[in-house]
Amino acid sequence: MKLSRCILSAILLPTATVTAFAPNGVVNTQVAKSVTESSTALQADAPIQKPTYGEESRKYRRTVFGHDDWVKHRRPDRFVKNLSTIFDSGVTQGTRFEVSCVAGVATFIAFWNSFFYEGFRDLDGVLHDPIIQLASPLSLPAMPFTVSVSALALLITFRTNNAYQRWFEARRCWGIINTECRNVARMAGAWCVPSKEPNRAKRVYDIRRVSTASWIFMRCLQRHVGGPDDEADFQKTVREWVPPEEAEAMIAAPHRPMRGLYYLSRCIERLPLTERQRIEVDKSCVIIGDICGAAERIYGTPIPLMYTRHTSRFLSTWLLLLPLALWEPFGKSWNHWEVVPASALISLFLFGIDELSIQLEEPFSVLPISNIVNGVKNLCESMPEWHQEYSDISYPPSVEDPMWGR
């Protein structure tokens, strides 16, 4: 029953697409509505897939280093620990299925050739005749793998380099946003002087609003490029730190980062700044908006799928056929059984490289974004306090506004 419903869903979904984009703008809305409702109902009945180990472990890869971590990272005996934990590695856990498939193929080839071609040698070293004597074993020459390995290496290297470049660019985007949001909070705290706003309480209040809006924007962007698991915490944070009316508008906004940036701009507008100071603050807001677009580009545009799929097909085919080429070189081992661990080990490292590129391709869920946002939050909360450390008499005319004029 479930199988028939899934097949029907696969048929209805393309039909809905064709109906929605009928030629000459002719659309049967009644049919489109019924198809959409049917496909939605079928999708609701589909079983929810359990997250894989690789997906669940991404939250534990958001590493932030300090001095002690770097010292430990440079230890000369680090390779001993790395080798001793190879089976506990996230890459190993994430490639268990692929490696098991290659090991299964190698095991089948060893069994087949032992029982149907060469014969089986027992533990005492006695060779028994094969069950059926075939004319040739299941094997391939090494030449096709030698010729094709260069092309495979180029594909894997190109994909891995691009995946790392995406990770590096995403980290750079968050670094720039981090810097510019701190700059906005700093300028708000330093440029609100008594000559422009004598009311000390109002100055502190406006500075606090801008400082809060700075890291709230970062929180909006974090949710925008993150998964749905963060939704409840995001709404709780926004309602706690933003005025109720603005908080609900931010939560309901179709583009939350832009709404957060708009809220930040409105808070800046309340500051008692000169025109040139406003221009400087707005420059930071423009940079923040530009980098927000860059982050969305990374999040919404993967490495071309045809390239990823072709690389995966090439690598999978190459490794699944590899035991055929390794069977003969391991002829001196007991019943060629060394082909099994050798094939598994080679596939572990090559599939591991592909797993690394897959994990890095979407970088935002492995970056320590929460640490970045919380760091800016703590710093921005200090700005009003720092402003209050200076009394009104601490702003003489010579220091108050020496560059921009009044």
Side-chain angles (χ1 to χ4, degrees):
M1 184 63 181
K2 291 183 178 179
L3 179 60
S4 63
R5 294 176 72 87
C6 291
I7 295 174
L8 181 58
S9 175
I11 296 173
L12 288 175
L13 284 174
T15 307
T17 304
V18 173
T19 305
F21 297 96
N24 301 324
V26 179
V27 180
N28 190 330
T29 57
Q30 188 66 28
V31 174
K33 181 180 179 181
S34 62
V35 170
T36 304
E37 291 175 351
S38 301
S39 60
T40 304
L42 291 174
Q43 289 178 1
D45 292 340
I48 300 176
Q49 293 184 351
K50 183 180 179 180
T52 61
Y53 175 87
E55 200 64 32
E56 286 290 309
S57 64
R58 291 177 71 83
K59 66 183 72 172
Y60 303 110
R61 303 180 190 275
R62 301 162 187 171
T63 309
V64 178
F65 264 31
H67 174 74
D68 294 339
D69 299 302
W70 283 114
V71 172
K72 183 180 179 181
H73 186 66
R74 294 190 293 262
R75 288 180 58 179
D77 61 342
R78 60 188 178 275
F79 74 96
V80 176
K81 181 181 179 181
N82 293 336
L83 288 176
S84 63
T85 57
I86 186 172
F87 295 107
D88 299 326
S89 166
V91 174
T92 303
Q93 298 294 328
T95 57
R96 283 183 300 177
F97 176 75
E98 297 92 327
V99 174
S100 299
C101 288
V102 174
V105 171
T107 303
F108 173 79
I109 291 171
F111 265 112
W112 181 274
N113 289 335
S114 294
F115 289 107
F116 298 103
Y117 173 73
E118 190 178 59
F120 177 76
R121 193 176 299 276
D122 61 22
L123 296 177
D124 295 328
V126 178
L127 181 64
H128 299 273
D129 293 334
I131 299 174
I132 300 175
Q133 184 69 54
L134 298 179
S136 60
L138 276 178
S139 65
L140 286 174
M143 181 59 70
F145 297 89
T146 304
V147 172
S148 61
V149 69
S150 298
L152 179 62
L154 286 174
L155 284 173
I156 295 177
T157 302
F158 179 83
R159 171 165 170 70
T160 306
N161 286 345
N162 274 273
Y164 173 77
Q165 184 61 34
R166 290 168 60 86
W167 179 91
F168 178 79
E169 187 177 356
R171 181 61 185 89
R172 182 173 175 270
C173 286
W174 275 98
I176 295 174
I177 291 174
N178 179 15
T179 301
E180 295 302 329
C181 286
R182 288 187 298 182
N183 282 340
V184 169
R186 174 190 58 80
M187 288 185 283
W191 289 351
C192 288
V193 292
S195 63
K196 300 186 183 70
E197 177 52 65
N199 189 332
R200 183 183 182 90
K202 186 178 184 305
R203 290 202 313 270
V204 173
Y205 175 76
D206 290 340
I207 293 171
R208 181 172 285 110
R209 279 172 58 94
V210 172
S211 300
T212 300
S214 298
W215 69 265
I216 283 293
F217 162 78
M218 298 180 68
R219 189 66 181 87
C220 290
L221 182 58
Q222 179 188 9
R223 173 62 188 90
H224 190 64
V225 297
D229 296 340
D230 189 36
E231 178 64 23
D233 185 65
F234 167 76
Q235 293 189 15
K236 178 182 177 182
T237 301
V238 171
R239 290 190 174 108
E240 180 180 354
W241 290 93
V242 179
E245 185 176 345
E246 181 63 37
E248 297 305 323
M250 195 176 294
I251 292 172
H255 196 286
R256 288 167 170 173
M258 191 55 60
R259 180 72 192 201
L261 186 58
Y262 176 79
Y263 174 62
L264 173 60
S265 300
R266 295 296 297 170
C267 292
I268 293 172
E269 187 65 24
R270 294 169 56 96
L271 296 177
L273 303 177
T274 64
E275 189 64 27
R276 297 188 64 181
Q277 287 173 339
R278 291 186 186 279
I279 292 174
E280 291 299 314
V281 178
D282 190 64
K283 286 180 181 178
S284 293
C285 292
V286 170
I287 294 174
I288 291 172
D290 292 343
I291 300 301
C292 176
E296 289 182 300
R297 171 176 52 80
I298 297 172
Y299 185 71
T301 310
I303 295 174
L305 295 180
M306 58 182 179
Y307 187 94
T308 300
R309 290 167 181 166
H310 182 71
T311 303
S312 178
R313 291 163 184 155
F314 192 167
L315 177 62
S316 301
T317 304
W318 198 90
L319 287 174
L320 287 171
L321 295 179
L322 182 63
L324 294 171
L326 295 180
W327 181 81
E328 186 173 347
F330 285 104
K332 294 184 179 180
S333 64
W334 182 72
N335 293 315
H336 298 255
W337 277 100
E338 289 182 2
V339 69
V340 177
S343 299
L345 192 62
I346 294 173
S347 65
L348 170 63
F349 291 122
L350 290 182
F351 276 130
I353 297 174
D354 184 67
E355 177 71 11
L356 289 175
S357 64
I358 288 291
Q359 293 294 332
L360 289 176
E361 186 177 3
E362 190 277 280
F364 297 105
S365 54
V366 293
L367 283 173
I369 298 178
S370 294
N371 296 74
I372 298 173
V373 174
N374 290 333
V376 175
K377 174 178 176 290
N378 296 333
L379 182 63
C380 289
E381 288 178 352
S382 302
M383 290 298 172
E385 299 175 4
W386 294 349
H387 181 82
Q388 294 184 81
E389 290 177 1
Y390 295 87
S391 62
D392 293 348
I393 201 172
S394 300
Y395 294 92
S398 59
V399 179
E400 197 173 81
D401 204 3
M403 182 175 182
W404 308 112
R406 295 189 288 272

